[in-house]
Amino acid sequence: MAEQTIYDTALEITKDQWLEMLRNEEVFQERDRQMILAIMQYDGRPHATPIAHAIGLKGRGALNLQVDRLGKRIMQYFPEIEYPKQDNGKDRTWHIPFLGEWQTDRNRFVWTLRPTLEQAAEIYFEEDLKEGKAMPSQTEYSEIRKKLFDSAYIDMAYGRYIKFKENKLYDEAYKLEVLSRLNEFLRGQEITDLTVMDIVKKFQKENPSVGSFVHWSNTADLVKFAEAKPESVAALLNQLYNSEAPISERIEKFREEGKAFSSEISLGAPLFGYLLAAKNYKEYPIYKQEVFTAIKADYDIDFKLGAAGKNYEVYRYICNLALEHFKRDNPSLTALDIQDFFYCAITYDQIKVEAAMDYLFDLSTKLGEFERDQELMLQKIADMDPEILEKVSDQYRNNEKVNLIRHKIIEKILEDGMISLEDMEIIKQEISQRYETKILNSWSDFSILFQLYYFDKKKKVQIELTKIHRAIRHFEELRDLKFVEDKVLNGYSWNNQFGTSRCWLAVYQAEYASHQVAPQLFVAVDPNGIEYGVYNGDDHPKGGQGNIAHVKNAESFSYEDLQSKIIDVLDEFLRGSEVVSTEQTVIKELTKDKWSELLADNNIFREKDLVYLTKMYELGGQATATQLGEALGMSRNSFNLPVVNLAKRIKEETGLEDVHRDDGSVCNWCVLFEGEYEDSNHFMWSLKPNLKEALGETIGERQVYETYSKDAFLEEVFIDEKTYDKIASLLKYKKNIIFQGPPGVGKTFVSKRLAYSLMGTKDESRVEMVQFHQNYSYEDFVMGFRPKENGFSLQYGVFYDFCQRALNNPEEDYYFVIDEINRGNLSKIFGELFMLIERDKRDEFVTMGYSKQKFTVPSNLHLIGTMNTADRSLAQLEVALRRRFAFVTLEPAFNEKWRQHMIKENVSAEMISKIQHTVEKLNHEIINDYQLGSGYAIGHSFFSAKPYDISEHNWFDGIMSFEILPLLEEYYFDRPEEVERLTEEI
């Protein structure tokens, strides 16, 4: 066994205390609970990366930060307990919920839950763990079979695996040697209480120290179990090998008796895979959860990991399907051969890259044929799985223009089983006639049909491109370079969703703001072959130049040739970096791992720093100070001093050298951001690429957002169900609505929650909010040229970026909220996009004035504006705006829902009645006033949240004196006697 460092420090937290904290959302947040459950369901000894992936984080850096914060909350909850310390005296926060060991040979930490925490978690997650044992239905098994052979990918990967076995890098022969010895050893061996110790010690001894079948602790725990309970373990082994019961039941019975013997022993699915293969490797495959998880991803198998027995049985089912498939050509294959294939296919970069190229070239070839022959494309779409076609139909249901054409095409296929180009032409004409403009000017038949065909392939393409990208970054010769991870990966829909037969990726160094300005290690696949080499981004001083190899098909491609070419062009790649360095000042960038380490240190990144940096990340990684301030409800100047202080702490910790401006002054913000400082509202801060990546891991690029339903909306908002249904239908149809009403009716509050309810989740990445004002411009909103060192560069605005985000994810709905929409000059702010926000102009493309590129406002983007009807400073809205938006009036709602809400806020019935009586009396006067009217009424949100530490009388008096009275003085600015009369009466 390789050298290990074991962490097993005692900690005086009982099972009941852990259970108390698990139930307390201020200690264990939802993602923390998901992490604990994922660890309990992990088959074996988990390390950070698979657990991070299981709960939606990108990698171990993000998970380590999450564990650190959990540990600190635990320390605050039970401050009297003595907690483990590191050698340097700092808190070892990760060691509070976990025991574990550092594996020197693998450079990773393996986690084990503290026994008392695990006991508490078994109680807390009882239902989840029970569900995790339930086996799939026959329908689910059939779905697994269908997914495994849905494409030719498994045959492509197997073919590459067979060739790879001839390579000297193949190093898996030890499996057959070890298991053959064990099979021979167990053949005819009687397992009794007298022989069981020899047998389990044989298992322990034969388990290789490197490339092991199972973690050494599992075999050690099995030996410990057998020493104490030889009769029980002998019986369990006999049952495991000889029972007719399903394999999952045999495994779970073994595990249950093991846990009954000692809650501290670990018996995971890899152990049972090893024990079963030791008995008969031809029938039982060895098991690793990483392999099973990768199989699920590669073949898009929707199966939630559960108990060890369930996982192994489903994994064995998949192996048996593959064995049956490949045995047709080679009857001598065994379960071990199939396990070896799956393991190698997810482990060795050569197989991963070559199989990926096979898959992508095959798809490029088909798409190339479809570009020439749309009749064939229609036929292939009609041949797609009906379940997939149903999903495609649902995606485009209730849409407009091209998307409505797509919906009609799929409906025709589902109804008749086929469709012709003539049928498609009839559909196109029928839909086009509904609109005044020519909606198909930018669309060919191929581009209309592309998304239908690509629907179930998009995810797989991204997976395969990612494999190639990572393999290039793993080349030994490139290990000292720091690359942007898993970007840029452009599948076949990279050209504004029109579709193409070409996909490509670019690997570039992390010191660059984007791939456009960087030298790239480039790979592209199209029907004419595969290209790879070095290429300079379009905005590089030598933009468009490169050194590219080309092979005509996937058969002519090899991983070795790719690696050789990349090594050959490495000098050119690095010289390209030198060219950029002479053209512009490139500020040294910390690595992503270093940023993750700094983010985890509360002495450097303080809570307030994480607030504005997280918001900037959510805004796409860049924002002006004004935009950031608006998003957080803060002043644009609020960030200057915190950024400077944070930069100084980072420099002190890392030893980064000062960056000087031309005048000799130190640029502190340059530590965290790209750009050129100007004392202007239009300065755009862009997060350093590696910091952005680290933040993405910290907060989770694909966050687990809280669900939000129509019922949740109705519970929070004082609107009845009938009104909600009308508003929701209106927004879906019209695409643009404005909530208008007097102050305090909750227009902004309603806007965001309407969006959440229609999405079904509080997904902040799909909701953007800005506030218009008189100085808001087209350059802020859409795009414009901004000064830089040697001239001007084109910068994109918040609405343009949000449209692009919606355009790139047509299956999701997006909501753009404009607060105080009537404060801006809409025609000026929207520019040429003002036409495109109309419902019947969505998905039409126009040429942008600045960029000269085609762009559109997609139909899955919805606009929600708010308008204060009591603002005297605003002119009447122009007719063009009113034509593009539907208007919904929100009125004060001092109704029964409001009363029930105030009761929950611990406001007495007497005070509720007093508020209702007072405001209704004021509103009666305001509404009937000849100069005012209903647009000036006082809304309910003035009285919707009482601070717990203020008496209700002081709260009421404060609102009346400092909020309502100034409002009345503004309303009756020319009639002060009316204010005096009203206040005397109340």
Side-chain angles (χ1 to χ4, degrees):
M1 182 183 72
E3 182 183 349
Q4 315 291 333
T5 303
I6 310 296
Y7 296 95
D8 59 357
T9 309
L11 185 63
E12 300 298 325
I13 298 181
T14 67
K15 178 188 76 175
D16 291 339
Q17 288 173 321
W18 281 117
L19 191 57
E20 177 185 334
M21 288 190 287
L22 278 166
R23 290 169 175 162
N24 188 323
E25 293 187 357
E26 294 183 1
V27 183
F28 274 83
Q29 297 174 357
E30 183 57 32
R31 181 166 282 169
D32 300 320
R33 297 193 189 101
Q34 293 173 2
M35 173 181 67
I36 299 300
L37 180 59
I39 290 168
M40 293 183 72
Q41 292 183 327
Y42 191 85
D43 295 329
R45 303 268 287 174
H47 56 99
T49 302
I51 299 304
H53 293 167
I55 64 173
L57 298 175
K58 281 188 67 177
R60 68 182 183 184
L63 192 67
N64 291 339
L65 183 60
Q66 180 176 321
V67 173
D68 176 70
R69 290 176 176 171
L70 171 61
K72 288 171 180 173
R73 290 196 296 273
I74 293 170
M75 292 172 69
Q76 291 176 349
Y77 193 77
F78 283 124
E80 69 278 7
I81 290 174
E82 184 177 346
Y83 292 96
K85 301 280 187 181
Q86 299 181 41
D87 293 340
N88 60 8
K90 290 186 177 180
D91 294 318
R92 191 186 289 155
T93 46
W94 57 265
H95 196 26
I96 295 172
F98 302 110
L99 304 175
E101 80 187 50
W102 178 256
Q103 297 181 327
T104 307
D105 56 330
R106 295 191 175 187
N107 191 33
R108 70 182 189 183
F109 184 77
V110 177
W111 292 356
T112 304
L113 289 176
R114 286 190 176 271
T116 50
L117 171 56
E118 186 171 7
Q119 292 163 19
E122 284 174 353
I123 296 171
Y124 186 86
F125 295 112
E126 181 180 5
E127 291 303 316
D128 297 275
L129 295 172
K130 190 183 298 180
E131 181 183 340
K133 294 181 180 180
M135 296 304 296
S137 65
Q138 287 304 312
T139 301
E140 290 170 320
Y141 273 127
S142 297
E143 185 67 18
I144 290 172
R145 174 187 285 273
K146 185 166 62 176
K147 287 293 184 70
L148 196 63
F149 304 112
D150 188 45
S151 72
Y153 177 77
I154 191 170
D155 295 297
M156 295 171 178
Y158 187 74
R160 293 293 187 171
Y161 158 74
I162 293 300
K163 290 182 180 178
F164 176 72
K165 288 185 72 174
E166 301 171 2
N167 192 306
K168 62 182 180 180
L169 293 176
Y170 177 75
D171 191 25
E172 305 300 319
Y174 71 91
K175 298 174 186 174
L176 180 59
E177 296 171 6
V178 172
L179 293 175
S180 294
R181 286 198 300 270
L182 287 171
N183 279 200
E184 183 63 30
F185 171 73
L186 287 176
R187 192 170 292 117
Q189 175 76 263
E190 186 178 2
I191 305 175
T192 68
D193 57 333
L194 299 177
T195 62
V196 71
M197 276 305 299
D198 289 337
I199 292 171
V200 296
K201 284 187 175 181
K202 176 71 171 176
F203 293 151
Q204 185 181 37
K205 180 181 178 181
E206 289 283 5
N207 184 36
S209 58
V210 178
S212 57
F213 298 137
V214 59
H215 190 270
W216 65 267
S217 65
N218 275 221
T219 53
D221 285 343
L222 180 62
V223 170
K224 188 190 305 181
F225 188 14
E227 284 175 340
K229 301 279 187 178
E231 292 183 359
S232 297
V233 174
L236 288 168
L237 280 172
N238 279 313
Q239 177 206 46
L240 182 69
Y241 290 148
N242 303 316
S243 172
E244 295 297 322
I247 195 68
S248 60
E249 292 181 14
R250 291 183 256 167
I251 290 173
E252 288 307 314
K253 181 172 176 57
F254 205 128
R255 281 166 51 82
E256 287 167 8
E257 292 203 23
K259 281 293 181 185
F261 159 67
S262 171
S263 61
E264 297 186 12
I265 69 172
S266 177
L267 307 174
L271 173 67
F272 294 101
Y274 175 41
L275 298 180
L276 288 161
K279 178 68 174 176
N280 186 350
Y281 71 78
K282 295 181 180 180
E283 185 176 349
Y284 296 103
I286 51 180
Y287 172 95
K288 287 183 182 292
Q289 183 162 313
E290 293 92 331
V291 177
F292 189 21
T293 301
I295 291 171
K296 294 195 299 117
D298 271 348
Y299 299 96
D300 194 25
I301 295 172
D302 185 16
F303 171 77
K304 187 177 179 180
L305 292 172
K310 174 183 179 180
N311 292 345
Y312 183 78
E313 186 155 319
V314 175
Y315 168 74
R316 185 185 174 219
Y317 173 75
I318 292 172
C319 288
N320 283 341
L321 289 176
L323 180 60
E324 178 184 308
H325 177 72
F326 292 120
K327 260 191 167 183
R328 296 168 188 167
D329 295 325
N330 187 354
S332 65
L333 291 177
T334 67
L336 179 61
D337 293 316
I338 298 304
Q339 183 280 334
D340 191 55
F341 155 58
F342 280 131
Y343 174 77
C344 291
I346 69 104
T347 303
Y348 291 97
D349 281 344
Q350 179 168 338
I351 302 174
K352 288 192 283 186
V353 169
E354 291 178 349
M357 289 298 190
D358 287 339
Y359 176 83
L360 295 172
F361 182 73
D362 180 69
L363 185 53
S364 284
T365 302
K366 290 173 181 173
L367 290 169
E369 291 175 3
F370 296 157
E371 285 176 320
R372 299 186 298 272
D373 186 350
Q374 283 81 62
E375 189 79 61
L376 176 62
M377 192 175 193
L378 277 171
Q379 179 184 327
K380 293 298 182 182
I381 293 171
D383 291 340
M384 287 167 61
D385 189 310
E387 290 183 21
I388 300 296
L389 293 174
E390 289 281 3
K391 291 178 182 178
V392 178
S393 176
D394 289 342
Q395 175 177 312
Y396 293 112
R397 195 181 306 278
N398 300 322
N399 272 286
E400 300 287 341
K401 300 182 181 177
V402 172
N403 285 342
L404 181 57
I405 291 172
R406 289 167 171 160
H407 174 70
K408 294 289 187 182
I409 289 170
I410 297 299
E411 288 296 294
K412 175 74 172 172
I413 293 172
L414 289 171
E415 185 175 332
D416 298 343
M418 60 179 295
I419 187 172
S420 65
L421 277 177
E422 290 76 17
D423 294 328
M424 179 176 169
E425 195 60 35
I426 292 169
I427 292 172
K428 286 164 57 181
Q429 293 301 321
E430 175 194 334
I431 303 301
S432 298
Q433 289 171 8
R434 301 183 187 182
Y435 301 94
E436 296 177 5
T437 57
K438 296 179 179 180
I439 65 171
L440 295 174
N441 271 357
S442 301
W443 297 90
S444 66
D445 285 351
F446 173 81
S447 61
I448 293 172
L449 294 172
F450 171 81
Q451 291 295 345
L452 305 181
Y453 180 76
Y454 195 52
F455 179 85
D456 62 332
K457 301 166 184 68
K458 180 178 179 179
K459 181 178 177 182
K460 177 66 173 172
V461 168
Q462 291 302 116
I463 289 172
E464 299 309 307
L465 287 172
T466 301
K467 291 177 185 177
I468 301 167
H469 202 282
R470 291 178 180 175
I472 292 173
R473 303 196 321 260
H474 290 164
F475 288 163
E476 187 63 36
E477 294 78 7
L478 307 182
R479 290 197 181 269
D480 291 337
L481 302 177
K482 301 299 179 184
F483 295 105
V484 175
E485 296 185 6
D486 297 346
K487 295 179 183 179
V488 175
L489 304 165
N490 284 316
Y492 295 95
S493 57
W494 55 271
N495 61 339
N496 277 332
Q497 301 294 317
F498 285 121
T500 174
S501 57
R502 181 178 176 85
C503 68
W504 58 277
L505 62 87
V507 180
Y508 66 100
Q509 293 185 82
E511 63 192 63
Y512 298 101
S514 73
H515 70 284
Q516 285 97 337
V517 300
Q520 310 162 11
L521 299 174
F522 179 82
V523 177
V525 184
D526 63 29
N528 297 315
I530 299 167
E531 299 175 347
Y532 49 88
V534 67
Y535 178 84
N536 295 312
D538 292 344
D539 294 335
H540 184 277
K542 294 186 176 180
Q545 299 179 30
N547 184 339
I548 303 293
H550 180 272
V551 294
K552 62 181 181 180
N553 53 45
E555 291 180 5
S556 305
F557 172 85
S558 74
Y559 174 82
E560 290 93 339
D561 289 344
L562 171 67
Q563 187 175 29
S564 177
K565 180 64 178 179
I566 296 300
I567 295 169
D568 286 346
V569 300
L570 187 55
D571 284 344
E572 292 180 56
F573 176 71
L574 296 176
R575 283 201 301 274
S577 299
E578 292 170 3
V579 169
V580 175
S581 297
T582 61
E583 294 288 330
Q584 63 187 51
T585 300
V586 180
I587 298 164
K588 180 174 173 58
E589 165 73 304
L590 300 173
T591 67
K592 188 199 73 176
D593 289 343
K594 186 62 180 178
W595 278 120
S596 295
E597 179 185 326
L598 294 172
L599 284 164
D601 191 336
N602 287 348
N603 293 320
I604 297 175
F605 278 87
R606 295 168 184 170
E607 193 61 37
K608 63 183 179 182
D609 297 315
L610 294 173
V611 169
Y612 66 79
L613 288 171
T614 298
K615 179 54 66 176
M616 179 170 277
Y617 178 86
E618 291 172 352
L619 292 171
Q622 64 177 21
T624 65
T626 301
Q627 290 169 343
L628 191 58
E630 289 174 351
L632 291 169
M634 300 166 67
S635 162
R636 66 176 296 273
N637 298 316
S638 302
F639 314 105
N640 294 336
L641 186 58
V643 167
V644 169
N645 290 335
L646 172 59
K648 289 179 178 178
R649 292 194 296 272
I650 292 169
K651 288 193 290 185
E652 183 179 351
E653 177 70 17
T654 62
L656 275 177
E657 296 180 1
D658 287 340
V659 175
H660 295 274
R661 300 186 181 93
D662 293 339
D663 62 3
S665 62
V666 175
C667 178
N668 283 301
W669 60 262
C670 298
V671 174
L672 295 107
F673 302 103
E674 304 281 0
E676 182 63 32
Y677 179 78
E678 292 187 7
D679 190 14
S680 158
N681 288 355
H682 300 307
F683 166 59
M684 183 70 70
W685 290 8
S686 298
L687 289 168
K688 288 273 193 174
N690 286 354
L691 172 57
K692 184 178 177 182
E693 289 284 314
L695 273 171
E697 289 194 354
T698 299
I699 64 178
E701 194 167 61
R702 296 184 303 172
Q703 297 187 35
V704 179
Y705 293 103
E706 178 185 346
T707 58
Y708 194 87
S709 63
K710 171 182 172 181
D711 291 339
F713 177 93
L714 294 173
E715 187 175 331
E716 282 196 284
V717 180
F718 309 139
I719 289 177
D720 59 51
E721 184 174 5
K722 185 177 180 181
T723 303
Y724 170 86
D725 290 339
K726 285 182 179 179
I727 295 172
S729 298
L730 186 61
L731 180 57
K732 288 178 181 178
Y733 168 73
K734 186 71 174 178
K735 303 294 183 186
N736 315 311
I737 66 170
I738 288 178
F739 287 119
Q740 62 179 357
V745 292
K747 298 180 289 293
T748 305
F749 183 85
V750 171
S751 298
K752 293 194 78 171
R753 275 147 188 81
L754 175 63
Y756 294 153
S757 69
L758 294 172
M759 294 188 300
T761 176
K762 287 188 174 182
D763 185 349
E764 293 284 356
S765 67
R766 290 158 55 198
V767 180
E768 188 71 69
M769 185 171 182
V770 298
Q771 186 179 71
F772 279 179
H773 50 77
Q774 293 176 352
N775 291 327
Y776 208 85
S777 68
Y778 177 86
E779 287 72 20
D780 297 317
F781 198 58
V782 183
M783 66 174 66
F785 284 101
R786 303 183 190 281
K788 58 183 293 187
E789 184 177 353
N790 297 316
F792 291 82
S793 66
L794 184 62
Q795 300 290 327
Y796 295 108
V798 61
F799 186 68
Y800 183 95
D801 286 341
F802 196 70
C803 286
Q804 193 70 261
R805 203 184 310 169
L807 193 63
N808 291 334
N809 296 281
E811 68 279 2
E812 303 282 9
D813 285 330
Y814 286 74
Y815 297 84
F816 196 92
V817 180
I818 304 174
D819 200 28
E820 305 285 5
I821 191 171
N822 50 335
R823 285 186 174 275
N825 182 331
L826 273 291
S827 296
K828 178 182 176 183
I829 292 171
F830 277 92
E832 61 267 67
L833 297 188
F834 195 42
M835 175 190 77
L836 298 183
I837 67 174
E838 288 191 59
R839 177 187 66 84
D840 60 352
K841 302 291 194 303
R842 295 299 182 90
D843 296 317
E844 288 186 18
F845 284 78
V846 299
T847 301
M848 305 298 287
Y850 281 119
S851 68
K852 307 304 179 187
Q853 295 179 348
K854 287 189 176 296
F855 195 72
T856 187
V857 178
S859 57
N860 61 324
L861 186 148
H862 304 77
L863 282 166
I864 304 175
T866 72
M867 190 173 79
N868 185 354
T869 53
D871 195 328
R872 296 176 185 271
S873 66
L874 300 177
Q876 291 293 312
L877 289 175
E878 55 188 84
V879 175
L881 174 66
R882 291 194 171 275
R883 181 166 60 82
R884 286 166 169 81
F885 286 82
F887 286 76
V888 177
T889 300
L890 298 181
E891 299 176 344
F894 294 95
N895 51 24
E896 184 57 30
K897 287 183 73 172
W898 173 82
R899 289 184 64 88
Q900 293 302 317
H901 170 76
M902 297 308 293
I903 291 170
K904 291 179 182 178
E905 289 285 311
N906 295 318
V907 178
S908 68
E910 293 78 12
M911 178 55 73
I912 293 172
S913 297
K914 182 178 180 179
I915 294 169
Q916 206 162 7
H917 173 75
T918 300
V919 179
E920 286 180 352
K921 186 172 183 179
L922 285 173
N923 281 343
H924 177 76
E925 295 285 343
I926 291 169
I927 291 169
N928 291 289
D929 187 272
Y930 70 96
Q931 285 187 350
L932 301 176
S934 59
Y936 292 79
I938 295 168
H940 50 271
S941 65
F942 284 103
F943 301 95
S944 60
K946 186 189 83 65
Y948 73 93
D949 55 348
I950 299 178
S951 73
E952 60 182 27
H953 293 287
N954 289 340
W955 169 65
F956 174 77
D957 291 342
I959 292 173
M960 293 302 300
S961 300
F962 302 110
E963 297 185 50
I964 303 300
L965 179 58
L967 192 64
L968 294 174
E969 290 172 342
E970 170 65 23
Y971 287 176
Y972 297 96
F973 70 96
D974 57 345
R975 292 177 287 162
E977 68 280 0
E978 284 297 311
V979 179
E980 187 175 345
R981 179 181 67 83
L982 288 173
T983 52
E984 284 179 357
E985 290 180 1
I986 61 173

